Amino acid sequence: MKDFSLLKEMVGIHAPSGNEGAMTKFLLDYIEKNKKNWKVQPEIFSGDGFQDCIILKFGNPRTAIFAHTDSIGFTVKYGKELIKVGGPVTEDGFKLCGTDSKGYFETELVVLENEDEPTKYEYLLDREIDRGTDLSFLPNWREDERFIQSCYMDNRLGVWTALQVAETLENGVICFSTYEEHRGGSVGFLGKYIYENWSVKQALISDITWVTEGILHDKGVAISIRDSGIPRKSYVDRIRSLAKESGIAYQLEVESAGGSDGNQLQASPYPFDWCFIGAPEDHVHTPNEKVHKNDIAAMVDLYVYLMKHL
Amino acid sequence: MKDFSLLKEMVGIHAPSGNEGAMTKFLLDYIEKNKKNWKVQPEIFSGDGFQDCIILKFGNPRTAIFAHTDSIGFTVKYGKELIKVGGPVTEDGFKLCGTDSKGYFETELVVLENEDEPTKYEYLLDREIDRGTDLSFLPNWREDERFIQSCYMDNRLGVWTALQVAETLENGVICFSTYEEHRGGSVGFLGKYIYENWSVKQALISDITWVTEGILHDKGVAISIRDSGIPRKSYVDRIRSLAKESGIAYQLEVESAGGSDGNQLQASPYPFDWCFIGAPEDHVHTPNEKVHKNDIAAMVDLYVYLMKHL
Amino acid sequence: MKDFSLLKEMVGIHAPSGNEGAMTKFLLDYIEKNKKNWKVQPEIFSGDGFQDCIILKFGNPRTAIFAHTDSIGFTVKYGKELIKVGGPVTEDGFKLCGTDSKGYFETELVVLENEDEPTKYEYLLDREIDRGTDLSFLPNWREDERFIQSCYMDNRLGVWTALQVAETLENGVICFSTYEEHRGGSVGFLGKYIYENWSVKQALISDITWVTEGILHDKGVAISIRDSGIPRKSYVDRIRSLAKESGIAYQLEVESAGGSDGNQLQASPYPFDWCFIGAPEDHVHTPNEKVHKNDIAAMVDLYVYLMKHL
């Protein structure tokens, strides 16, 4: 059984869209400490000109993994009001946390439904939180033999997967992106960098998807044929053919909604092919995102296989 | 009377957004066979780095025609459910076709309206279609002395027009784009290529528009002053002035909705001017798109004139 | 007390999105006449390849001010119908003006509410206006000791502020952008130009925001922590820290809606940091936009300070 302590640590890091610095620092530290055990030493690009993103370049890359490091959350508006960062599910009593000028705090979400007005959100706390402070779900790791349940499996699990792949990766790029949950904004310059410098134009989106009527727990990693965006059929067909050849468990997703860093690559002025590949979860965008361990294993295995053969 | 056999052939090619490969192959074959009869031999750019797009470069270009090769359609979701590719009109009984691992099939659309839920769509067929298969309208060409009626006049007619212009074009670019019907995604890199290599930043969008209270059959090709996007007035004014000078029949369109590859150029980081110019149709985005032959003739004539004088 | 005659002149210039030429000409004339009195002579970029935008480059720039020159308005559709340019508030009787082939006209807005259909808009005039003509609010300057009230404070005041800053600016860029009110489209190539040529990737959005429950008149210039877009926290934190140090009056804005050229920079393939900083107004997007003079003074002062120290 895999050890998930690294993943457990990462789901507890506060990094709502626009404020990913803590994840960036964590990842740079992790990479620095662990890369000596990796098969190939990557070049590391970060800092000035990369905002809070990181690019790892291994050998002679053909394909890039994109894994977003940001999470959904909330921002303190005026008074006790909260507004959304990305699209969190909003349920009365969800536990939240953050840090402002007065220090760390834990609080909970209050949902105020009004008949004639849009629903409002507030926090419940005996002190006022600084205007503009961002909040995230309170970490709440639950693990048994079959499942992991926690906030922010989306997308710390996608990041974690990329880090597992890094251990043996010989040729490829890993991009840790930001802002995926809230309108995007970093994939454009990441795509530009890897396309212009290394002619990389094949992308795999390492992210977490939905358990639905067509996508079930323990049926393997999901390869998405489409969501709100449609990847190029010829590229997805190559991936499906490799997945079949690999013998790794996978299932085919077809959705009309939802999106990913793939849509951002599609909108960029670079000719990227992209495909979303990720384990499914239920209780999406709540503190209770639940993923089957077998699907996690399949996700890692398929990424390792595809980065070799695509 | 013009011969429309080429157009008839093209409306029957299966090429929903993301799966334009068959159109690309058809066009490359057509260009290869016919270019010897063209006034100027174009350079042809396609394949690696162009996805399923094609760029034709004639002489010293100042202006580019953009014609999208993709069409609306449907994707098979789970079970018998269909979801949309782009924005097809959905009417019970519309005939559809496609090909999956079991071969070619014809089917029809079933519209399931529920009181409290969003409308759902299914296919009616005695066998199951592979998950993720894309469907298009069944070809159904109808032609008389005045009108052509068929699925996919939008935008095989825009493509066909560009091919007519190619016959005598001396200086100019023709871009066959993809993904126009579904969120776009190729115009960015096409625009980048022609701007960076040949400083081309004037664009004409060869596409089909709507018969409305202000735009009528047999009143000439429509020059669009705006739709959801607003092209630069100074550029549209130059086009209107040339159109007037040409003596070719045209009408002025003003809409608040709808969009085209023009919006994609507008959103790109290149300073493109663009204007939508196309014949109007009624029964938009159905299998019954109907265009007047005189408007088609005016469309071709105006493109020929503008590519010379703009 | 500042003299606002320049601002008064600018709010009267007709420049709906897509038709900013008159503002561009006015600005180029103004800059030509006045730059001799500026501390540093800027390089001026405009014309071919810049559409109706202008870039001013002073010294060795680190930071760029973006101020959009376009305004909201209306376009004449078919018959007497009007459609929106950007998002104007629509109130029966609002005075409008424009120019078509028959010359200058003044008219007013008629709002036609129907029970089962979307609201329609018409103009009230004893002659027909040419199809496609764009209309703007009739200039209506009102000024007292404390307030200025007029159409188009958004964003002639942002432009005016940039021109005040220009007088003493030693190092920096000023971008006069277009299309901000209607889907954007020029910030991409402006950002590309200043990033590629001078490595500028810090931006300040000089625009006007909303008086709300959290943002009040005469409480200083608003620094926006977020609107529909979320700027990077580390960048906003640096700005807040400088603002505090400056002693200039400011207030912190947190909104879930609204957007600016900042969102366009965010969507571009360049790693821009951006922050919206502007005086608040009430009666947003009406002919009666009202701003406190003290907030205008604070806006200018803060821009001067930030362009020196950021």
Side-chain angles (χ1 to χ4, degrees), chain A residues 18 48 51 84 131 179 182, chain C residues 201 226 228 230 233 252:
Chain A
D48 192 47
Q51 295 192 353
K84 295 181 185 182
R131 187 182 288 192
Y179 277 112
H182 197 92
Chain C
K201 55 182 189 290
R226 61 167 289 186
S228 67
I230 300 180
K233 185 170 189 295
L252 296 173

Side-chain angles (χ1 to χ4, degrees), chain B residues 17 68 70-74 84-91 94 96 109 137 150-155 180-182 207-210 258-259 281-290:
Chain B
S17 307
H68 73 87
D70 62 309
S71 78
I72 51 175
F74 296 88
K84 295 180 185 183
V85 176
V89 169
T90 49
E91 199 172 291
F94 275 175
L96 305 171
L109 182 66
F137 289 133
S150 168
C151 60
Y152 301 136
M153 295 298 279
D154 171 6
N155 185 36
E180 194 270 348
E181 297 290 2
H182 196 92
D207 202 344
I208 304 308
T209 189
W210 310 336
E281 66 178 20
D282 46 21
H283 310 299
V284 172
H285 281 200
T286 74
N288 307 312
E289 298 179 340
K290 187 176 176 183

Side-chain angles (χ1 to χ4, degrees), chain B residues 238-295:
Chain B
R238 283 173 56 211
I239 288 168
R240 288 173 60 175
S241 161
L242 286 169
K244 203 170 177 181
E245 174 187 299
S246 75
I248 298 159
Y250 70 94
Q251 38 191 338
L252 296 173
E253 179 183 71
V254 182
E255 289 291 333
S256 55
S260 73
D261 276 346
N263 280 353
Q264 298 285 318
L265 282 172
Q266 179 83 3
S268 81
Y270 310 97
F272 272 91
D273 278 321
W274 57 274
C275 182
F276 182 111
I277 300 178
E281 66 178 20
D282 46 21
H283 310 299
V284 172
H285 281 200
T286 74
N288 307 312
E289 298 179 340
K290 187 176 176 183
V291 185
H292 199 287
K293 287 182 173 179
N294 289 347
D295 297 332

